Amino acid sequence: KVKPQLEEKEGKTFDVFTAVEFKTQVVAGTNYFIKVHVGNDEFMHLRVFRSLPHENKPLSLHSYKSSKTKHDELTYF
């Protein structure tokens, strides 16, 4: 659900978009920190926010870090 949001921010499309790891952080909703393989040896770290159920809002891409590798540690940001 966040792939189109990232593609719009980056101004390009990703043929490969596979989540390989994630962590969560409970706030007033949930932050998901997701390591995504986007092709070749390139990875991106995404911060995706899911609001509380009663707010009925879609998942939103809050921020991301590009130029990551498979071995870069997924951290909170």
Side-chain angles (χ1 to χ4, degrees):
K1 293 189 177 196
V2 298
K3 181 182 179 207
Q5 294 175 51
L6 180 62
E7 289 175 336
E8 183 178 333
K9 288 178 185 275
E10 279 287 292
K12 61 183 176 182
T13 59
F14 298 103
D15 294 330
V16 176
F17 197 81
T18 308
V20 295
E21 181 183 348
F22 77 95
K23 295 180 178 184
T24 61
Q25 177 186 42
V26 176
V27 289
T30 305
N31 282 323
Y32 291 89
F33 298 88
I34 308 166
K35 182 186 292 187
V36 178
H37 179 225
V38 293
N40 300 319
D41 291 329
E42 189 178 348
F43 288 77
M44 298 182 93
H45 293 182
L46 311 182
R47 180 174 159 191
V48 176
F49 179 72
R50 170 175 266 154
S51 63
L52 295 171
H54 72 276
E55 294 178 342
N56 200 27
K57 293 181 181 176
L59 288 175
S60 65
L61 176 63
H62 185 273
S63 56
Y64 64 95
K65 294 182 177 182
S66 56
S67 302
K68 294 295 188 177
T69 69
K70 181 179 183 175
H71 302 291
D72 284 338
E73 182 181 357
L74 181 59
T75 58
Y76 299 121
F77 60 94

